[in-house]
Amino acid sequence: MFRKSLLAAVVALGLFSGPVAAQSHLDLLRAGNYPAAREALARLVGGRPDADLHQAFLEALILIREGKDDRAAGALRAILDREPRFEPARRELAMLLARTGQVQGALYHAETLLGTTNDSGLRAALEGFIASQSAGKPRGITTRFSLLPSTNANGGTDAETIVIGGLPFTPDPASRATPALGLSFGITGWNRWSLSETWNATLSGSVDVRRYDHDAVADETVVAVRLDFGTAGSRHRLTFGPVADRMWKNDRPYRTRLGAGVSYQYRWRPDLVVGASATRWRQAHDDLGYLDGNLLSGALSATWIADADLTFSVALPFEVEQTGSPHLDHQSLGLRLGLDKTWNGGLSTGLNLGYSEDRYDGPYPAFGFPRKDKVTTVGLTLRSAKVQIGRFVPELSLTYERARSNIPFHDHGKIDVGLSLTQRF
């Protein structure tokens, strides 16, 4: 349904911008006379600095008419890698991905275009698509893989000795900063049912495994399942439902959690989306009963699409945990800032800055006063559209974390590196 509405809007606007949208070469394209269409376009754009972009776009349209969808998608992405603001290529790529069942990719380009286009007709078509397709594909399986080298994988202290009550103590190996290499891989599967014209239900499950090359850093396995009920309109999305997960550490049962989550997003303006999310957990640990209790976590967020190649985001994450021990009960409040930029040539960069304060209720054992942490993080992600493995693009991430705590055991710094595979839309 969306493809027809968006196609109607695109045809009404013309497949090209400005004076390029002449009826002659469009008629020749529809008639299948490609050489004549190329000649007509060359006459229209000859001498213009963006002539090669329009010619490349025409070649992509020809590939679509010839049924060469994969090659056409590659050609359209190449245009956007060079000029992210070239709206005709992004419109056509969104349509192509929607028609071939790649709904998540189509949503990505539709939402990007919605935040940057000044055309009210196209905007209405995009809003209709986003509302109708926000649920994504009805079923599927995704996999992920990452290498995770870290200078301090367990978040341990760098101090060789810690003074407690005027006496020096040497931290045990598990509490000392430990460089290690991690390997992470996971799989997620989901199935979605339509409950009505406006409501759906999604059942999903995942398995994530993380392994390290050092005995001082615990291996982890997490199995999770959730059931989400969702609804969406032209400007909003709402999902909520129960969640559960089970964790193993070093292949031993560690923790079970049951809870419920809710998430809401509202498009305040075409280029501004605000949202809120929260999850409340009931936690039970197999051998560490003093950790049992409740955990509430969530965030308020806003995303501003400044341009087709520039996005700003801000979030206020929070966390409240109650356990069986007062010195572990705590409240955390933070601030995260993000800037994502796509450069000419296909390089995409992401810069993330974070700060949080964590305050605990009861006195920390052997110290006599509550723990207080202040954590600062700086993260950078890099990926290039020109480096691709099938439909996946390698992504490199670098994160620096500095935790300052009044309890020396928790005062640390570390640098984490990640090399992961993400799907290219």
Side-chain angles (χ1 to χ4, degrees):
M1 179 179 68
F2 161 72
R3 186 176 187 276
K4 292 180 180 179
S5 61
L6 180 56
L7 181 59
V10 172
V11 171
L13 294 171
L15 291 174
F16 300 97
S17 303
V20 182
Q23 187 67 27
S24 58
H25 69 273
L26 292 181
D27 284 341
L28 293 168
L29 175 66
R30 297 188 189 101
N33 192 346
Y34 305 145
R38 293 185 180 102
E39 292 177 4
L41 178 62
R43 289 193 297 269
L44 284 171
V45 300
R48 289 178 49 165
D50 60 350
D52 56 340
L53 286 175
H54 293 285
Q55 291 164 351
F57 182 56
L58 176 60
E59 295 302 320
L61 295 177
I62 291 173
L63 289 171
I64 291 175
R65 292 185 65 85
E66 292 178 340
K68 301 174 181 178
D69 292 339
D70 289 342
R71 290 180 56 188
L76 293 168
R77 290 188 180 106
I79 294 172
L80 293 174
D81 289 341
R82 177 181 168 186
E83 180 48 74
R85 300 177 183 86
F86 195 78
E87 285 193 7
R90 198 173 294 279
R91 290 198 305 260
E92 193 66 34
L93 182 55
M95 282 200 304
L96 176 60
L97 295 177
R99 177 171 59 81
T100 56
Q102 302 174 60
V103 178
Q104 189 176 2
L107 278 169
Y108 169 81
H109 290 288
E111 290 179 343
T112 300
L113 189 54
L114 178 62
T116 58
T117 185
N118 292 320
D119 185 273
S120 58
L122 178 59
R123 184 177 298 157
L126 292 167
E127 288 177 344
F129 169 62
I130 293 169
S132 63
Q133 297 293 334
S134 60
K137 294 189 295 185
R139 64 186 58 84
I141 295 176
T142 62
T143 58
R144 50 198 169 273
F145 172 82
S146 299
L147 290 174
L148 305 170
S150 174
T151 61
N152 187 359
N154 62 340
T157 180
D158 293 320
E160 295 184 2
T161 59
I162 293 176
V163 177
I164 303 176
L167 300 175
F169 289 87
T170 301
D172 60 70
S175 301
R176 296 289 305 276
T178 303
L181 173 63
L183 175 65
S184 174
F185 53 95
I187 184 171
T188 297
W190 74 93
N191 193 86
R192 182 174 294 108
W193 298 270
S194 294
L195 304 179
S196 69
E197 291 185 3
T198 56
W199 285 89
N200 61 67
T202 304
L203 179 65
S204 61
S206 64
V207 179
D208 285 278
V209 179
R210 183 172 293 188
R211 295 290 183 263
Y212 289 94
D213 64 349
H214 199 292
D215 292 341
V217 185
D219 297 334
E220 293 183 357
T221 301
V222 178
V223 177
V225 63
R226 64 184 303 137
L227 176 62
D228 284 316
F229 298 93
T231 184
S234 62
R235 301 181 67 179
H236 75 275
R237 300 181 195 174
L238 170 67
T239 60
F240 61 89
V243 293
D245 66 29
R246 176 70 162 152
M247 175 183 284
W248 289 259
K249 282 194 174 185
N250 293 328
D251 298 323
R252 293 176 58 87
Y254 176 73
R255 184 192 65 199
T256 300
R257 300 195 301 181
L258 300 174
V262 60
S263 175
Y264 181 76
Q265 288 184 321
Y266 180 75
R267 187 172 294 277
W268 194 278
R269 302 194 311 250
D271 61 343
L272 179 63
V273 177
V274 296
S277 63
T279 303
R280 182 175 177 83
W281 297 94
R282 176 62 184 174
Q283 306 181 123
H285 296 73
D286 292 78
D287 300 318
L288 305 174
Y290 58 88
L291 294 176
D292 294 351
N294 299 310
L295 173 66
L296 174 66
S297 61
L300 303 176
S301 63
T303 302
W304 175 45
I305 304 175
D307 206 336
D309 55 356
L310 184 62
T311 301
F312 295 94
S313 62
V314 59
L316 298 174
F318 62 87
E319 182 175 284
V320 178
E321 185 172 19
Q322 297 175 322
T323 70
S325 301
H327 75 280
L328 297 176
D329 297 348
H330 66 99
Q331 304 83 41
S332 175
L333 182 64
L335 172 65
R336 291 199 304 261
L337 302 175
L339 185 153
D340 293 288
K341 169 73 173 177
T342 300
W343 305 86
N344 291 341
L347 178 65
S348 296
T349 58
L351 176 64
N352 297 282
L353 305 176
Y355 176 80
S356 66
E357 291 193 3
D358 210 345
R359 297 177 178 272
Y360 290 75
D361 294 343
Y364 198 89
F367 284 84
F369 49 82
R371 173 183 165 188
K372 296 180 181 179
D373 295 347
K374 297 180 179 181
V375 182
T376 303
T377 59
V378 180
L380 178 66
T381 60
L382 298 170
R383 71 174 183 268
S384 173
K386 294 184 177 180
V387 181
Q388 191 166 340
I389 303 174
R391 292 185 178 179
F392 292 85
V393 175
E395 180 175 284
L396 178 65
S397 64
L398 180 67
T399 303
Y400 170 74
E401 177 181 293
R402 183 69 178 98
R404 301 185 183 278
S405 177
N406 61 345
I407 304 299
F409 287 112
H410 302 285
D411 196 288
H412 69 269
K414 66 174 181 174
I415 298 176
D416 294 332
V417 180
L419 178 60
S420 59
L421 296 179
T422 57
Q423 189 170 5
R424 172 71 187 276
F425 299 138

